[in-house]
Amino acid sequence: MRALPAGAEGLLIELGSAADVAALHAEVLRRRDAGELGGVRDVVPAARTLLLDGVRDPEALAARIAGWEVPPLAETEGPLVTVPVRYDGPDLAEVAGLWGVPAPEVAGIVGGIVFRVAFCGFAPGFGYLTGLPEHLHLPRRDTPRPAVPAGSLALAGEYAGVYPRSSPGGWQLIGSTRAVLWDPAREPAALFAPGVRVRFTEEGHE
C-alpha cells in the first residue's frame, strides 16, 4: 500500500489488487459511518486505487490507515441487485467459442457468478463488475463498435458491465436487459454502486 496526497484535502491510496481496494473501501466506509474519519466526504474506488476527499491531515490519516487490520471482504457483504437478461448479444457465439462451450451454456455460466461493482466510470451508471474467473477473461474486440445499444451486457478482460446508454464500445456483447442503469429522477440515480453485488438471471428463468 502507498498513500499519496491529492490536492488540498485528498488522499490517494494505491493498492495491489481489486480485492484489496474492495476490502479497504468497505473498511473506510464502516469507519466513516462510525464517525472515526472526521470530515472525509467522498470515498472513490478505482481499479487499483482508493481516493478519499475531505481529509484535513492526509499524512496523519495515511499513517493511521497503514496500521489498520483490514479483513477481506466477505462474499455475502453488500446489497444484492438481480438483473434479468436476454442472452441475445451479437458476440454470444464468439464468446461461447472462446470459452469452449455451446452458446446456450453461457447464460448458466454468467448466472452462476455473483459479481461485485468494483468501481464506476466511463459513463454515468456504468459499473465495472468483478468476479469473472480468470479462465473466463476475454479480449476486447479488435474493432470497437461505434454504437452499443443501451442495456447491453458485455464482457472484457476481467470485467462485466452493462451499458447504461448507447455509446461506442469494444466489449463483447452477450445479452441485453431492460433494467434502467441510470435515472436522475431515482434515488439513488445509479442502479450499480461500488460494493453492490450483482446477479444476472436469464429472462424468463428467474
Side-chain angles (χ1 to χ4, degrees):
M1 183 185 84
R2 184 168 74 141
L4 303 167
E9 292 190 334
L11 182 66
L12 183 69
I13 303 171
E14 297 179 344
L15 296 145
S17 69
D20 291 340
V21 173
L24 184 59
H25 178 245
E27 185 69 14
V28 167
L29 293 182
R30 282 193 290 267
R31 291 179 183 251
R32 186 189 66 175
D33 293 345
E36 299 179 18
L37 298 183
V40 171
R41 295 183 297 271
D42 296 320
V43 184
V44 184
R48 296 292 184 272
T49 62
L50 187 68
L51 175 66
L52 282 64
D53 184 48
V55 180
R56 298 193 182 100
D57 188 340
E59 186 175 345
L61 182 56
R64 285 176 58 194
I65 292 174
W68 290 356
E69 289 190 13
V70 180
L73 197 61
E75 290 184 4
T76 57
E77 189 169 343
L80 177 65
V81 173
T82 299
V83 178
V85 171
R86 297 182 301 277
Y87 284 86
D88 55 3
D91 301 322
L92 182 65
E94 183 176 344
V95 168
L98 291 169
W99 285 355
V101 300
E105 291 188 17
V106 171
I109 293 171
V110 174
I113 299 169
V114 178
F115 294 89
R116 185 180 298 276
V117 183
F119 58 98
C120 297
F122 169 62
F126 187 91
Y128 289 79
L129 279 58
T130 56
L132 200 64
E134 187 172 356
H135 70 280
L136 299 180
H137 292 183
L138 292 166
R140 294 171 182 261
R141 293 184 58 81
D142 292 335
T143 303
R145 292 182 170 90
V148 173
S152 295
L153 172 59
L155 306 173
E158 63 184 288
Y159 298 112
V162 180
Y163 286 77
R165 64 187 184 192
S166 178
S167 60
W171 290 27
Q172 308 280 1
L173 308 183
I174 62 170
S176 58
T177 179
R178 288 190 283 256
V180 178
L181 276 291
W182 176 258
D183 181 359
R186 183 176 62 196
E187 181 57 42
L191 183 64
F192 294 165
V196 168
R197 295 178 298 136
V198 180
R199 180 171 174 262
F200 295 109
T201 59
E202 187 173 6
E203 195 169 278
H205 294 79
E206 293 86 346

